[in-house]
Amino acid sequence: MNQRLTTDRITLTLSVEGNRMPLTFFIRTTEDLQKLLRAIEEAQLGEASHAQWEIDADRIQIAASVNGVSMDDLESIVNDAYQSLKATDAQDDAGIPRTVDDQGKRLTRTIINRAKRTVPVTVEALGQEPIYIDAGPVQQGRPPSSHQVSQGLNAWGSVDGELDVISVRRRPYFVIYEHASRNRIRCLFPDDWMDKVKNLLGYRVIVEGNLHYRSNGSVSALAQPTAINAVSSPVRSIAEFRGALPGISGELSSAEYVRQLRTREHSG
């Protein structure tokens, strides 16, 4: 959804999927984000901070209302904070904006490392794809293990499961419970998919898109979906699969029943 059309505020949000956010994590990360945004604002505009940064308490959502700073400037400040978090999570120092100084880099590393030590976090900003930060051990000064390398893996693929929940808060998404495993997957979707998604609520579907994997190999989220289709009912009757029905062999043993089917002595 286009937040510029629905609100006069620019937001940067950190949320925890399926977990309650620890109070200490909430307090410390909120303080660090506010410091980071103020530092970026001063670096961009060359003067003391004027933006009014508000906090939404049900998740870490830093919201900036226009207060002596233009909407375009606010969007640029939040975008630089988002890019700094994204680049730091990817260990890409070159991707950190020039408006983020050494103190800002330390704040960003602190936020990312705290999330990896505590809870899986989703970072969202206006017009940007979400960043998924998985919780896991952070070991400074050591080469990453194969377990750590697997964290944050993204790949194009598909998921198969029941479409169970639809939410239009902030960014529209639906939840799929994978067939067989019942693993819960959060799937973002574009506004123009709303009708087709509502029509598939409660059905088993296959969705294709960019999959994000947890460190244990299970899928946690799907973004940039390219297709969604209902799974068709089987076209063959179970009765066609001889041997799958209890008692079908009658008084014959399983071996004798199969032998007669193969030699056509028994028609089933």
Side-chain angles (χ1 to χ4, degrees):
M1 289 185 175
N2 190 336
Q3 295 181 10
R4 290 291 290 274
L5 299 179
T6 60
T7 181
D8 61 352
R9 303 188 305 171
I10 300 295
T11 60
L12 178 66
T13 304
L14 275 73
S15 56
V16 178
E17 183 68 30
N19 295 281
R20 178 178 291 276
M21 186 173 292
L23 180 59
T24 301
F25 178 88
F26 177 90
I27 294 172
R28 292 180 177 175
T29 304
T30 298
E31 292 176 349
D32 290 340
L33 277 174
Q34 288 179 308
K35 291 177 183 177
L36 176 62
L37 289 162
R38 289 194 181 106
I40 292 173
E41 180 183 351
E42 293 181 16
Q44 282 195 11
L45 305 181
E47 55 187 21
S49 175
H50 291 288
Q52 181 179 346
W53 303 100
E54 303 168 358
I55 303 170
D56 188 338
D58 69 343
R59 58 194 183 279
I60 299 179
Q61 177 166 288
I62 303 293
S65 300
V66 176
N67 183 26
V69 180
S70 72
M71 186 68 77
D72 288 339
D73 284 338
L74 289 175
E75 186 173 340
S76 179
I77 293 165
V78 169
N79 181 68
D80 279 6
Y82 166 90
Q83 294 297 340
S84 180
L85 291 166
K86 180 179 181 181
T88 301
D89 181 47
Q91 300 181 11
D92 175 22
D93 291 343
I96 298 176
R98 285 180 288 182
T99 55
V100 180
D101 59 13
D102 289 341
Q103 179 189 8
K105 292 176 183 178
R106 287 194 296 271
L107 287 167
T108 306
R109 285 196 298 270
T110 298
I111 293 168
I112 294 294
N113 289 342
R114 184 183 297 124
K116 290 185 175 181
R117 290 195 305 267
T118 311
V119 285
V121 168
T122 301
V123 181
E124 297 177 274
L126 177 70
Q128 302 290 350
E129 287 299 323
I131 307 168
Y132 303 100
I133 304 171
D134 279 337
V138 177
Q139 298 178 349
Q140 300 294 342
R142 299 184 184 181
S145 66
S146 59
H147 171 75
Q148 290 172 302
V149 170
S150 68
Q151 294 183 6
L153 173 65
N154 290 275
W156 287 96
S158 62
V159 294
D160 174 356
E162 180 185 352
L163 199 160
D164 185 67
V165 175
I166 300 173
S167 172
V168 294
R169 186 178 185 184
R170 292 176 291 150
R171 299 193 63 180
Y173 71 88
F174 56 85
V175 171
I176 278 185
Y177 287 93
E178 273 193 298
H179 189 62
S181 72
R182 303 301 293 171
N183 173 44
R184 186 179 189 275
I185 303 171
R186 185 173 184 259
C187 304
L188 299 173
F189 67 91
D191 292 345
D192 56 7
W193 274 33
M194 182 58 73
D195 288 340
K196 69 169 73 173
V197 169
K198 288 194 295 186
N199 290 335
L200 292 171
L201 182 63
Y203 287 87
R204 182 180 170 188
V205 298
I206 294 178
V207 187
E208 300 174 2
N210 188 16
L211 307 181
H212 178 80
Y213 291 84
R214 300 183 182 92
S215 57
N216 63 6
S218 63
V219 179
S220 63
L222 183 149
Q224 301 170 278
T226 56
I228 179 170
N229 295 289
V231 176
S232 302
S233 300
V235 295
R236 298 179 64 186
S237 167
I238 189 64
E240 296 181 50
F241 299 93
R242 292 188 174 95
L245 299 179
I248 196 172
S249 63
E251 297 180 357
L252 297 175
S253 67
S254 297
E256 181 60 20
Y257 181 75
V258 171
R259 187 193 66 77
Q260 289 190 15
L261 284 176
R262 289 174 174 169
T263 58
R264 301 186 182 277
E265 295 178 30
H266 197 293
S267 63

